């Protein structure tokens, strides 16, 4: 009996979560957590895709019976100026110079290109119908 207790006491219990620095980006990634951990699986919210890059500060949750399986679950936001501060209830998605901001004023896009695929609707109308209605309204006001 004392041997089984000795074995249990010898295990060092890791914390359930830790902050790390990505050393090799991608999925799987490598993360420095007081030592480099390789083949760290990446988990993101459903429908969302993201790949960390080297140097990102990340949150690593440890799974398994003895917390031996590190799982990368998120990235710490980059340090932002007060001008870039995100208001409560808003969402900002960015990668490089491309930015999508959803806030109480609506949708703001910044960057060189926005690519959309599939059926696009605006206020319940197809995008083509929506644009046609705008053109008709402009022409009607000019022709008056």
């Amino acid at each position: 009996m004392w041997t089984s207790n000795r074995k249990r006491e010898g295990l060092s219990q890791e914390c359930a979560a830790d902050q790390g620095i990505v050393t090799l980006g991608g999925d799987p990634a490598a993360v420095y957590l007081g030592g480099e951990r390789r083949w760290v699986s990446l988990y993101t919210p459903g429908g969302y895709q993201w790949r960390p890059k080297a140097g990102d500060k990340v949150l690593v949750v440890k799974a398994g019976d003895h917390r031996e399986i590190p799982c990368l679950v998120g990235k710490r936001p980059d340090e932002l100026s007060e001008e870039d501060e995100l208001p409560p209830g808003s969402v900002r998605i960015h990668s490089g110079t491309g930015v999508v901001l959803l806030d109480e004023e609506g949708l703001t896009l910044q960057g060189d290109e926005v690519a959309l695929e599939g059926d696009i609707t605006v206020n319940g109308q197809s995008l083509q119908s929506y644009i046609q209605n705008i053109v008709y309204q402009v022409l009607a006001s000019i022709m008056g």
Side-chain angles (χ1 to χ4, degrees):
M1 184 144 159
W2 67 272
T3 55
S4 62
N5 286 338
R6 196 175 90 187
K7 188 175 183 180
R8 195 175 307 139
E9 290 170 7
L11 293 175
S12 63
Q13 191 66 276
E14 287 197 36
C15 57
D18 204 351
Q19 180 177 322
I21 304 286
V22 175
T23 55
L24 293 172
D27 183 17
V31 179
Y32 183 80
L33 300 165
E36 188 177 61
R37 304 275 186 101
R38 297 227 172 175
W39 295 99
V40 177
S41 295
L42 178 66
Y43 292 85
T44 62
Y48 181 80
Q49 220 172 3
W50 161 72
R51 296 293 178 260
K53 64 180 189 283
D56 283 349
K57 293 178 184 174
V58 293
L59 176 64
V60 178
V61 174
K62 297 171 186 170
D65 291 340
H66 303 289
R67 298 183 179 152
E68 72 278 9
I69 305 168
C71 304
L72 200 154
V73 296
K75 176 184 181 288
R76 182 173 169 83
D78 296 327
E79 296 300 321
L80 301 171
S81 67
E82 283 185 31
E83 297 167 355
D84 292 334
E85 192 170 314
L86 193 61
S90 300
V91 175
R92 179 184 295 124
I93 302 170
H94 64 89
S95 179
T97 59
V99 178
V100 175
L101 174 64
L102 298 167
D103 61 14
E104 58 188 32
E105 295 178 18
L107 173 66
T108 306
L109 303 170
Q110 299 171 348
D112 296 337
E113 178 183 344
V114 175
L116 302 172
E117 296 179 18
D119 296 329
I120 302 166
T121 60
V122 178
N123 294 334
Q125 297 178 347
S126 72
L127 182 59
Q128 183 177 359
S129 296
Y130 188 77
I131 292 170
Q132 284 175 346
N133 286 336
I134 292 171
V135 171
Y136 292 147
Q137 289 172 7
V138 169
L139 289 174
S141 68
I142 293 171
M143 305 299 270

